[in-house]
Amino acid sequence: MISVRSTPFVTSQVDGHIINASGVVPVSASRFVFIDNSDPRALLELNLNPDGTQDGPIVRRHLVGLAAGALSDPEGIARVDTGAGFDLIVTSSLCVKSAPPPGKVHAHDGLVRIRYTPDGDLHADPMHGFRDWLIACHPALPAAAQLSPDQSGLNIEGVAWDPSRRALLFGVRSPVTAGRIPVLCVCLDTDAPWSTTALQPGPELSIEKSDFASPQGIRDIEYDSARQEFLVVLGRSLSLGTAPFQLCTWDGTASSVTVLDVKFEPSTMKPEGVAAIPGGGARSIVFVDDAGGFAVLNGA
């Protein structure tokens, strides 16, 4: 069993608050972009040395083009390679806010496309009406979309690009039922204008896993292009659950996953972002956690 322990970011705070990291993707062999889900107006960059230590402070990359409320509670990020470079796509949790007014549902929303450039501000393009579109396309979601996460309401905590399907895969933290964890597949026409007209519902996908009395949900999902499989972090579905975090691989089609022999130190590590580090040889993986830290796992 390999034990993974979090190392605090050299810069543990940005703009006066502790970084609440969630979702991470590589933009080069040593540079990674991740989300601070308490800061929907920026992405953060982590640079790594060859030995896996942090190289310099966290860099805040401001997002331009976002109106107030166009993105809230960001939880997942995916890299989509295009002919002209690559885009980063960020999703909100899409969950109901913790204290909605009586008789009215106020929910986090947002699916945002960002054209990555190595320096400076990043241009962000929000997709209006995405949450409503997604709910309308999945019969199991309308009821869950009215409930808070700890009532088994809709809660998305990861997104990955599936190049074989040309689709975004949304990892569901809740609702899950009877050991079945849904993965919402949304086909995307990357050449079309950035609106819901570019989307089509994909096939129904799910991961079957029922090892624990307390249900697990997806805490992040990311595609490993070198091995043509997905890395999936599972964790408790509800905030008071007791299921542990686990690292899995998934081929994107089967209902079963392969659980890797990895243990996250519960006192230091709450992984909510995972990505393979580009390069040949044995796989190395970077994790970010929502207590302001990261970890590198070699030879996974």
Side-chain angles (χ1 to χ4, degrees):
M1 180 74 70
I2 303 172
S3 181
V4 179
R5 186 179 185 87
S6 181
T7 298
F9 293 123
V10 171
T11 308
S12 62
Q13 295 190 17
V14 173
D15 290 348
H17 70 266
I18 294 176
I19 296 170
N20 188 335
S22 182
V24 62
V25 293
V27 294
S28 75
S30 60
R31 181 182 290 191
F32 300 83
V33 170
F34 67 95
I35 298 164
D36 178 349
N37 67 7
S38 59
D39 183 7
R41 304 308 298 267
L43 299 180
L44 302 181
E45 286 192 346
L46 167 68
N47 291 287
L48 295 179
N49 293 306
D51 64 357
T53 58
Q54 185 175 336
D55 180 14
I58 298 296
V59 178
R60 186 177 187 271
R61 305 289 303 279
H62 180 65
L63 300 178
V64 296
L66 285 183
L71 176 67
S72 60
D73 195 27
E75 283 285 358
I77 183 169
R79 170 175 166 158
V80 180
D81 290 279
T82 66
F86 61 88
D87 293 333
L88 305 178
I89 295 179
V90 175
T91 183
S92 161
S93 65
L94 307 180
C95 68
V96 169
K97 295 179 181 180
S98 56
K104 188 172 184 179
V105 171
H106 282 190
H108 295 290
D109 203 354
L111 187 71
V112 176
R113 180 179 62 184
I114 301 158
R115 174 51 56 92
Y116 180 78
T117 55
D119 301 293
D121 291 345
L122 298 170
H123 179 76
D125 189 10
M127 181 181 286
H128 301 290
F130 173 68
R131 185 179 190 269
D132 290 342
W133 180 92
L134 186 72
I135 292 166
C137 290
H138 292 83
L141 292 185
Q146 307 296 309
L147 303 174
S148 67
D150 277 341
Q151 295 174 310
S152 295
L154 176 62
N155 191 7
I156 301 295
E157 289 213 356
V159 63
W161 178 243
D162 183 342
S164 64
R165 294 188 178 97
R166 307 293 297 173
L168 294 167
L169 302 186
F170 293 85
V172 174
R173 179 174 176 179
S174 71
V176 300
T177 57
R180 178 180 177 272
I181 307 170
V183 179
L184 306 179
C185 180
V186 176
C187 299
L188 170 65
D189 181 353
T190 55
D191 295 322
W194 185 247
S195 72
T196 55
T197 60
L199 307 178
Q200 293 289 335
E204 291 190 11
L205 301 172
S206 65
I207 292 170
E208 306 292 335
K209 197 162 184 300
S210 56
D211 308 48
F212 308 101
S214 176
Q216 286 180 301
I218 294 172
R219 306 303 289 270
D220 196 28
I221 179 171
E222 195 58 51
Y223 186 67
D224 179 355
S225 59
R227 288 161 181 79
Q228 298 183 341
E229 64 183 6
F230 295 89
L231 293 168
V232 182
V233 173
L234 300 179
R236 61 193 184 193
S237 177
L238 307 179
S239 61
L240 297 179
T242 58
F245 285 98
Q246 292 181 301
L247 176 64
C248 309
T249 58
W250 180 51
D251 68 4
T253 57
S255 61
S256 61
V257 295
T258 299
V259 179
L260 302 187
D261 197 21
V262 172
K263 177 184 178 181
F264 297 101
E265 290 288 342
S267 62
T268 69
M269 193 80 198
K270 186 180 177 184
E272 293 202 349
V274 61
I277 298 176
R283 175 162 55 192
S284 294
I285 297 172
V286 63
F287 302 94
V288 294
D289 76 82
D290 77 349
F294 75 102
V296 173
L297 172 63
N298 295 311

